[in-house]
Amino acid sequence: MPVYSSAVAAAPTRPVPRPILAAVPAVLALLALLMWPAAASADTPLRLPGQITDTAGVLDANAETEVQAALDRLYGDHQVQLWVAYVPSFSGQSGADWTEATARASGFGPKTALLAVATAGDYNLWVSNDVTDVSDAEIESIATDRVRPELVNGDWAGAAVAAAEGLGDAMAPASLTPLIVGGGVVVVGGGGLYLYTRRSKRKRAEAGAEAAASIDPTDTAALASLPLDVLDVRAQDILVDTDNAVRTSAEELELARGEFGEQAVAPFATAFAQAGAALAKAFEIRQRLDDAIPETPQQRRDMLVDLISTCGRAGRELDARVTEFDGMRDLLLDAPARLDALTQQVVTLTARVPACESVLTALRAEFPAETLAPVAQNTTLAREQLAFAEKSIADGRDAVALPAGKQGPAVGAIRAAEGALIQASTLLDGVDHAETDIRHAMATLPAAIADLEQGVAAAGQLAASGGADLATAKASAAEALTHARASQATDPLGSFTRIVEADATLDAVLARTLEAQEQAERARQKLQQDLTAAQSQVTSAADFIGTRRGAVGAEARTRLSEAQRHLQAAQQLASTDASQALQHAQAATQLGAKALWAAQSDVRQWEQRQQPRSSGNDMTGAILGGILIDSILRGGGGFSRGGGYHGGGGRGPGSFGGPSSSGRIGRSSGGRF
């Protein structure tokens, strides 16, 4: 890791006299002017010129060498880059606000931390959210128990060394003591060794993926040099992170469109569309990697590198507009009015909950639990999101009441409340969708059954030329018909889906035996029915994943993206090529069902990990919904003790931007010394 010099940062704080500048060659003068703002505005948040910045002049050469050595050890052991800034003061801002603004201005990448020390008597330790091995409580402990005593004693270099060592200790793995048992249990011991070795390999891949996160996603040469298992884990992580960033950006963009109009948000909409297209390509690559067609190791490596770099481009499309977007949506300008409007939304959505609960109660009396599984918990989650929104609004009002310059937490509170209300509305809409879809299935199931019966009859007529495939498809269709006839009153949606899937399989076989013109005509007749089924299935999966994205992994998202792609293709081809459109619609239905199943599995696993925690915690819904950025997909899921957006280490809400910036409200801890 390179050693950064603080020579520029340690320059005098008054302007260089013009006669001196005149004597300096033009190139050096221009360089000095470009680097000068870091020294001239030491008190205000700044773009750090190097890993060690000392505008307060408290480090001599030996002390700087000592600090740099500690920073290098931290990076070498754990690939976390700690930056250190010593300034005279935080210019009236809190330490948390100053470090947050400086981290943004400096364009910090993943796995970074910042220790900011105002020598007038304030400090703050900020850690990016993707440093998942360090908990919020550990950040607070490092700041309070390690850094602060050094500052109280006036050991400026010692404070930075203590921060680096504290972070390193927090990320160090626990030691493993081997247990050797006598020869009578050699077989058991061998099995245990195998399990340990396999588990260790997985852990090494996960650890390697965390280190790989510091590699520029567009640096394909560096990515290609990584082990294949590390590449695979990294690809899954960045796919989930990018999908979360795009989803959050979509919500923020829609809010901005409602406030400022289509013309004002056009540049951001363009960036979002480009990012979405790149993400869709990444999901297509993941789908090919997951299908039944094997790839050679080199093909798999090339595809994983392509996936990671594609996600990187998607994130950069959004990141390029972050500063401009934040400037347009300056939430502090009219924060009280925004908070009032959010309160009204809470009231409106809260009034919808009882009606949706009544709908669910009525549906439960008619249909079995598996039919309602995708929306069974929607009203419960909606109440949690509304409770979280109310708390965020209250936090926002408290922040607005603070003196000017200290109101920054209001931005995070407003964004958190907006995100919670969007998801609460989607959850309640999902109940309405479920009722509509089930009723539609009840109304159209007889026609779907009749259509499949015709297909079975056609298969019977072509049995002699259709071969074994046609016989198998015909038998499966007959089983689906038997099930549908027996269950159409109690499980119409499930029966409808099964009929559509059986019909799709049968049609695929018939397509190889029927004349193309006859098949196209049949496709036109049944296309609308299959499009409706596909739209219903994709909407159900999208709503479920979108409102629980904090717990949903790459597989479900990949299947959903592919389902959406096939559905869009079906809709585009409906008027020109009914046969092709029908195939796309059927693929969308199947992939949508797989996406929902995988997402439900992810959520069940996440809920099992949350069992020891109190179910009444109003952060649960926000983290599950992905409003608060957390590491729950990789074994985390902890809550901030303070529950806020700064001091105390709370998780921050997402915003418009890519994975490296959409969660740009980091965790921090500090105070006076």
Side-chain angles (χ1 to χ4, degrees), residues 361-381:
T361 299
L363 292 174
R364 288 190 186 104
E366 293 185 60
F367 308 108
E370 59 268 21
T371 301
L372 302 174
V375 297
Q377 300 300 317
N378 276 27
T379 54
T380 300
L381 287 173

Side-chain angles (χ1 to χ4, degrees), residues 452 455-456 472-482 485 499 502-503 506:
L452 184 56
V456 170
T472 301
K474 179 175 176 291
S476 297
E479 290 178 6
L481 286 169
T482 300
R485 293 185 185 112
I499 286 288
D503 204 13
L506 184 58

Side-chain angles (χ1 to χ4, degrees), residues 458-528:
Q461 294 173 2
L462 297 171
S465 57
D469 288 346
L470 184 60
T472 301
K474 179 175 176 291
S476 297
E479 290 178 6
L481 286 169
T482 300
H483 172 82
R485 293 185 185 112
S487 306
Q488 59 181 319
T490 57
D491 186 15
L493 189 57
S495 299
F496 184 78
T497 301
R498 187 166 176 177
I499 286 288
V500 169
E501 290 178 351
D503 204 13
T505 302
L506 184 58
D507 282 348
V509 180
L510 286 172
R512 295 193 293 267
T513 55
L514 291 173
E515 292 292 334
Q517 184 177 5
E518 295 176 357
Q519 179 63 15
E521 179 60 31
R522 187 172 188 276
R524 279 191 293 272
Q525 293 174 358
K526 68 188 298 295
L527 175 58
Q528 192 57 49

Side-chain angles (χ1 to χ4, degrees), residues 414-646:
I414 291 172
R415 282 182 171 145
E418 289 175 340
L421 291 173
I422 288 172
Q423 292 201 11
S425 179
T426 301
L427 287 162
L428 297 178
D429 289 344
V431 176
D432 296 334
H433 291 163
E435 182 180 22
T436 301
D437 292 343
I438 292 173
R439 301 302 178 196
H440 179 270
M442 293 176 66
T444 58
L445 183 56
I449 290 175
D451 186 75
L452 184 56
E453 287 173 340
Q454 293 177 7
V456 170
Q461 294 173 2
L462 297 171
S465 57
D469 288 346
L470 184 60
T472 301
K474 179 175 176 291
S476 297
E479 290 178 6
L481 286 169
T482 300
H483 172 82
R485 293 185 185 112
S487 306
Q488 59 181 319
T490 57
D491 186 15
L493 189 57
S495 299
F496 184 78
T497 301
R498 187 166 176 177
I499 286 288
V500 169
E501 290 178 351
D503 204 13
T505 302
L506 184 58
D507 282 348
V509 180
L510 286 172
R512 295 193 293 267
T513 55
L514 291 173
E515 292 292 334
Q517 184 177 5
E518 295 176 357
Q519 179 63 15
E521 179 60 31
R522 187 172 188 276
R524 279 191 293 272
Q525 293 174 358
K526 68 188 298 295
L527 175 58
Q528 192 57 49
Q529 167 189 304
D530 283 37
L531 276 174
T532 300
Q535 182 68 69
S536 172
Q537 188 67 64
V538 171
T539 298
S540 178
D543 285 352
F544 188 89
I545 292 172
T547 55
R548 296 160 177 85
R549 61 178 177 260
V552 177
E555 180 184 352
R557 297 165 188 259
T558 299
R559 304 298 176 264
L560 175 60
S561 177
E562 282 295 280
Q564 291 170 330
R565 182 174 69 84
H566 281 290
L567 177 59
Q568 183 179 18
Q571 293 167 337
Q572 291 173 344
L573 292 169
S575 60
T576 58
D577 191 339
S579 181
Q580 284 294 316
L582 185 61
Q583 293 180 33
H584 282 294
Q586 293 165 349
T589 299
Q590 295 169 358
L591 287 165
K594 291 178 180 178
L596 182 58
W597 180 88
Q600 289 173 320
S601 177
D602 287 341
V603 171
R604 282 194 297 271
Q605 293 179 38
W606 180 83
E607 288 173 339
Q608 290 171 1
R609 294 197 297 269
Q610 307 308 305
Q611 289 303 317
R613 297 194 177 99
S614 168
S615 61
N617 193 315
D618 61 7
M619 294 290 188
T620 303
I623 294 178
L624 176 59
I627 294 172
L628 293 187
I629 297 173
D630 206 347
S631 59
I632 56 179
L633 285 172
R634 290 175 278 281
F639 301 112
S640 161
R641 290 191 176 188
Y645 303 98
H646 288 296

Side-chain angles (χ1 to χ4, degrees), residues 183-404:
V185 289
V186 170
V187 175
V188 176
L193 176 62
Y194 167 73
L195 291 175
Y196 168 74
T197 302
R198 189 171 66 176
R199 186 179 301 113
S200 297
K201 182 178 180 181
R202 184 177 68 249
K203 289 295 186 183
R204 285 197 299 271
E206 292 173 352
E210 291 183 6
S214 63
I215 298 176
D216 186 336
T218 60
D219 188 350
T220 55
L223 291 171
S225 67
L226 295 173
L228 196 58
D229 55 347
V230 171
L231 266 178
D232 191 56
V233 175
R234 175 59 184 145
Q236 293 185 51
D237 287 349
I238 195 172
L239 191 60
V240 170
D241 291 342
T242 305
D243 188 45
N244 279 339
V246 169
R247 289 174 181 274
T248 301
S249 296
E251 294 171 354
E252 286 275 317
L253 183 62
E254 196 57 35
L255 289 170
R257 181 179 284 108
E259 289 184 75
F260 306 106
E262 193 67 44
Q263 184 174 356
V265 302
F268 312 110
T270 299
F272 175 79
Q274 292 168 343
L279 179 61
K281 178 187 174 184
F283 275 123
E284 286 186 49
I285 297 171
R286 185 76 249 181
Q287 177 69 22
R288 294 202 304 273
L289 286 166
D290 292 345
D291 63 22
I293 302 174
E295 294 88 16
T296 66
Q298 187 57 48
Q299 288 173 329
R300 190 168 184 84
R301 180 181 301 279
D302 293 342
M303 292 170 71
L304 288 169
V305 170
D306 190 13
L307 188 157
I308 294 170
S309 62
T310 299
C311 284
R313 288 194 297 274
R316 288 187 176 184
E317 292 289 350
L318 299 174
D319 288 340
R321 293 286 184 177
V322 162
T323 301
E324 186 181 354
F325 187 88
D326 284 349
M328 182 182 71
R329 285 204 81 207
D330 188 345
L331 302 182
L332 284 178
L333 285 177
D334 57 350
R338 290 179 182 274
L339 291 167
D340 289 342
L342 291 171
T343 299
Q344 183 57 51
Q345 290 182 46
V346 169
V347 173
T348 301
L349 290 173
T350 300
R352 287 184 58 190
V353 174
C356 288
E357 289 177 333
S358 297
V359 169
L360 280 176
T361 299
L363 292 174
R364 288 190 186 104
E366 293 185 60
F367 308 108
E370 59 268 21
T371 301
L372 302 174
V375 297
Q377 300 300 317
N378 276 27
T379 54
T380 300
L381 287 173
R383 286 189 183 277
E384 291 181 2
Q385 297 288 36
L386 290 169
F388 177 74
E390 287 185 304
K391 181 183 182 302
S392 298
I393 292 169
D395 290 344
R397 295 192 190 281
D398 290 343
V400 169
L402 294 173

